[in-house]
Amino acid sequence: MAEAHQAVAFSFAITHDGLEVDFDHEILVDIWHSGIRSWYKRAWATWHDMRAVIFPLKPYTLILYILGILLMRFLGWDASWGMIDTMEQHLPLEYLSPPTFVCFSCILYAVFAWVASVLFVRLSLRLLFKYHGWMYEAHRKVSLATRIWSAIVYVLKGKNPRLCSYQGSLPRLPVPKLRDTLTRFLRSVRPLTSDERWNKLRAHAAEFENGIGKKLQRYLWLKSWWASNYVSDWWEEFVYLRGRSPLMVNSNFYGLDCLFVHPTKIQAARAANHVHAMFRFRRSISQQQVQPTIVQNLVPLCSWQFERMFNTTRLPGLETDHLRHLRDSMHIAVYHKGRFFKLPCYKRNKLLSPVDLEALFTRIIEDKSEPMKGEEHLAALTAGERSVWARARQMYFYKGLNKASLDVIEKAAFFVALDDEEHDYDPADSTKLDAYALSMLAGDGYKRWFDKSFTYIVLKNGRVGLNIEHSWGDAPIISHMWETMMYTESMKLGYTEDGHCKGEVSADLPQISHLRWDISDECIEIIKQQLHIATRLYKDVDLTLRIYQEYGKGFIKKCRVSPDAYLQMALQIAYFRDSGKFNLTYEASMTRMFREGRTETVRPVSVESCAFVRAMDDPTKTNEERVALLTAAADRHVNTYRDAMTGKGVDRHLFCLYVVSRYLELDSPFLQEVLSEPWRLSTSQTPHNQTDLWDLKKHAKHICPGGGFGPVADDGYGVSYIIAGEDTMFFHISSKKSSDATDSTRFKQNIDRALHDMREMFRDVMAKRVTTEEAKKDK
């Protein structure tokens, strides 16, 4: 009750002496500054949105248009082809003097011409961005059409774009032809099926194409014209938000610290610098100062996902969750030793300095209060079954103290976990790194608020990491923030010699507050059940990491093979040796060249890849033959990847057709069979260098190992990999301990062996080529 009493900023009472007014001046000042900040942000957001809408034109060009039209009118030149005269004849403004009337007509026409110019450039860019022929051409064999296209794009795309400058110019994701999708699907499953099943699939595909497939395709085509993206909203809803299984392990993914640098071991200092850097990045998003990602310096990628990185929470529902995104949030929620705290990050409209934030984090770490009843394991509710959490939220957190405290967490900019344990990278003991990664993924089932857009984690020894909720965005977006934050920490903020944040602590810091809870015994029982589910789930995860430094991108380039295709073939070799067979393999690619694009599936298994994998263990094959087979498999993989990026993938199209069939209550045995196949090898390349801030040749120790995710299938593997440098690659391998078919350490060893065998294969072929060339010179 003391906290509630102190929270009253204004009160009055009627006494015999009259009206007595009592108010807290400091709180009212804060309320005033909060309102000013809100209006200020709205005004700037409107200004930045307008600048993005008119890009590549600048706001001042409107003035130039007006002055130009007025000057030409004064000189007797009619640049409007008679439109100004027509306006003068028909506008009902007789009360204006003739000179004023002429000026008004010229200004009106100039505005019209300026708006028309903006629309013309944006429409032209949208048409130009639909061209993807450049992706299928070799760098040294660029066609004339691509050269002309690139020259026009270079002229029209403008300079110094803002984050959302190209959003209105991006094309919609096209719906592929049904026959093309079915052809690609059948080709992808051919090496995985017997002749009998293959013939059945062909028959079912033909029946689907000539039957209900046409009707479903028409509905999908209609949606593609009406919606910004015909896939993304259904993908978010049906794949993520309607999932009822736990987010932990099954959906959320993690990210790790830069392992080869450790700028400070002071937990509060590391947290302070990073939190300050994150809020600076959030401000750059709201002001659209983040540079959009542009492929080949020509084609921009969609920046839509950046909008929901901060101030976003996934709220549980009985049947489906939903995302709540706030315009602004001035605090973070912090978890430490079983207690939740509210930490204000602004004071009178100004972001707190890192040294001030360090002081506040230190207060939390040194706070001796005990967790309240049911508080320590409360976050386990977000780690367990979604429907159970939704019912508990409705029953026990809908009013009073619990609702107020839950609002603090859900309305925070993001969630911070100050762990009271230490993890680190030890080259002599790989199990320490494995435990570090598992901690970031699961957090013992109750130390992460899995519903927040991301949980920022700081260990006791200053190591950091992330746990990211997946429905709002994908790995490249959070990687962009992570790289920028690391750069800001190292190059702009820094630490003192003793590891603390630089600067002097302010005298009037805002107050942190320990959140209060009134959790009943019935709710505590539900928390225990959810924690049991979460504990059983994460303890079944077999997670291991491999830092591979035998070779990297440098050697692969000498082999004249796409690095991603090279590693995908290595994974195919490893899986075949591990399981003795091929299986459906998932690789994520992006479709962000289209508006609101997210991901598409690349199917790495092909007839060509299987031929190469078998040849690697066939003693009758020569290395020259193996290299030729690898080249063919890599070419097939690269083309499949390009198809996925340009809207010609298989799986998202079939998924949307299935959604339409369910809406129409039409049964499709073909779609049910296709979409029920498990992905026993799920892979993803973690993006690196999302920004151009780091020169890894100069700052090689700042290479980040990326992150990983849990296994998708109970009897399968999840593999995240990152090509981090010329001689470094990272692999995150997960599976389930309960499966007899998988073993992450064994699979890691098979990856090592595959990479070694492929390098020796190329070395042998290269050596023979050199010998042959020298022999020719001698002759």
Side-chain angles (χ1 to χ4, degrees), residues 26 179 358-359 411 478 540 598 626 718:
E26 183 179 0
R179 174 166 296 181
E358 181 183 355
K411 294 180 179 180
I478 201 73
D540 191 33
R598 291 198 60 166
R626 291 167 181 154

Side-chain angles (χ1 to χ4, degrees), residues 241-245 315-322 385-395:
L241 298 181
R242 289 205 181 189
R244 300 294 85 196
S245 59
L315 302 181
L318 294 177
E319 296 183 357
T320 182
D321 297 351
H322 70 276
E385 299 290 341
R386 300 303 293 170
S387 298
V388 175
W389 168 214
R391 284 191 291 269
R393 191 173 185 274
Q394 290 178 358
M395 292 178 63

Side-chain angles (χ1 to χ4, degrees), residues 152-207:
I152 298 173
V153 170
Y154 184 79
V155 171
L156 292 180
K157 73 181 183 69
K159 296 181 179 179
N160 302 319
R162 307 180 77 79
L163 179 62
C164 298
S165 292
Y166 295 111
Q167 286 299 99
S169 301
L170 293 175
R172 287 184 171 92
L173 181 67
V175 179
K177 294 181 179 179
L178 183 58
R179 174 166 296 181
D180 292 344
T181 296
L182 295 176
T183 300
R184 294 188 186 100
F185 165 75
L186 291 171
R187 185 176 61 200
S188 71
V189 298
R190 183 63 188 97
L192 302 173
T193 57
S194 63
D195 291 342
E196 181 181 357
R197 186 166 183 268
W198 164 251
N199 290 328
K200 287 184 178 179
L201 277 174
R202 287 181 62 188
H204 290 163
E207 181 183 357

Side-chain angles (χ1 to χ4, degrees), residues 120-402:
F120 172 77
V121 173
R122 290 167 68 87
L123 180 59
S124 299
L125 285 173
R126 185 180 300 179
L127 293 173
L128 289 166
F129 290 152
K130 288 183 178 181
Y131 174 73
H132 301 122
W134 60 276
M135 291 191 63
Y136 294 86
E137 296 176 354
H139 292 296
R140 298 179 182 177
K141 298 180 180 179
V142 180
S143 66
L144 178 61
T146 297
R147 292 179 187 273
I148 296 173
W149 167 83
S150 60
I152 298 173
V153 170
Y154 184 79
V155 171
L156 292 180
K157 73 181 183 69
K159 296 181 179 179
N160 302 319
R162 307 180 77 79
L163 179 62
C164 298
S165 292
Y166 295 111
Q167 286 299 99
S169 301
L170 293 175
R172 287 184 171 92
L173 181 67
V175 179
K177 294 181 179 179
L178 183 58
R179 174 166 296 181
D180 292 344
T181 296
L182 295 176
T183 300
R184 294 188 186 100
F185 165 75
L186 291 171
R187 185 176 61 200
S188 71
V189 298
R190 183 63 188 97
L192 302 173
T193 57
S194 63
D195 291 342
E196 181 181 357
R197 186 166 183 268
W198 164 251
N199 290 328
K200 287 184 178 179
L201 277 174
R202 287 181 62 188
H204 290 163
E207 181 183 357
F208 176 76
E209 179 186 357
N210 297 318
I212 65 170
K214 293 181 178 180
K215 182 177 182 179
L216 303 181
Q217 181 79 349
R218 284 194 295 269
Y219 277 99
L220 209 54
W221 180 84
L222 179 63
K223 187 193 176 187
S224 73
W225 278 94
W226 178 253
S228 299
N229 189 295
Y230 80 92
V231 175
S232 294
D233 58 338
W234 283 350
W235 187 254
E236 180 178 299
E237 178 182 357
F238 294 105
V239 173
Y240 292 116
L241 298 181
R242 289 205 181 189
R244 300 294 85 196
S245 59
L247 299 184
M248 187 194 72
V249 175
N250 295 320
S251 179
N252 287 25
F253 57 100
Y254 68 88
L256 296 180
D257 195 2
C258 297
L259 300 178
F260 306 128
V261 292
H262 201 162
T264 181
K265 293 186 177 181
I266 300 175
Q267 186 179 28
R270 195 87 196 275
N273 260 349
H274 281 184
V275 167
H276 180 84
M278 288 179 187
F279 273 102
R280 287 173 60 166
F281 186 75
R282 186 185 72 164
R283 181 173 59 198
S284 67
I285 291 176
S286 64
Q287 296 179 357
Q288 297 196 25
Q289 294 173 345
V290 178
Q291 290 291 312
T293 304
I294 301 180
V295 181
Q296 299 291 331
N297 199 31
L298 288 173
V299 180
L301 301 184
C302 179
S303 302
W304 163 66
Q305 295 179 46
F306 281 92
E307 298 176 6
R308 300 188 294 181
M309 182 183 297
F310 295 92
N311 321 328
T312 300
T313 304
R314 176 170 172 169
L315 302 181
L318 294 177
E319 296 183 357
T320 182
D321 297 351
H322 70 276
L323 292 174
R324 181 171 68 185
H325 173 71
L326 303 178
R327 180 183 293 272
D328 194 16
S329 178
M330 300 175 67
H331 72 276
I332 56 175
V334 182
Y335 180 85
H336 178 251
K337 287 188 175 180
R339 302 156 305 164
F340 293 88
F341 295 86
K342 177 182 179 180
L343 192 156
C345 296
Y346 285 81
K347 179 68 174 180
R348 294 182 180 174
N349 230 15
K350 184 178 179 181
L351 176 63
L352 295 180
S353 66
V355 68
D356 288 343
L357 288 169
E358 181 183 355
L360 294 180
F361 278 118
T362 301
R363 290 181 187 177
I364 292 175
I365 293 171
E366 295 177 350
D367 189 292
K368 301 301 182 182
S369 63
E370 293 294 323
M372 300 189 69
K373 178 183 176 183
E375 182 180 16
E376 182 178 6
H377 298 146
L378 179 64
L381 289 171
T382 69
E385 299 290 341
R386 300 303 293 170
S387 298
V388 175
W389 168 214
R391 284 191 291 269
R393 191 173 185 274
Q394 290 178 358
M395 292 178 63
Y396 306 109
F397 298 89
Y398 73 100
K399 66 177 181 179
L401 204 59
N402 290 346

Side-chain angles (χ1 to χ4, degrees), residues 592-605:
R592 288 173 60 208
M593 289 192 295
F594 302 96
R595 197 185 312 173
E596 297 184 12
R598 291 198 60 166
T599 61
E600 176 59 277
T601 303
V602 180
R603 293 175 169 236
V605 178

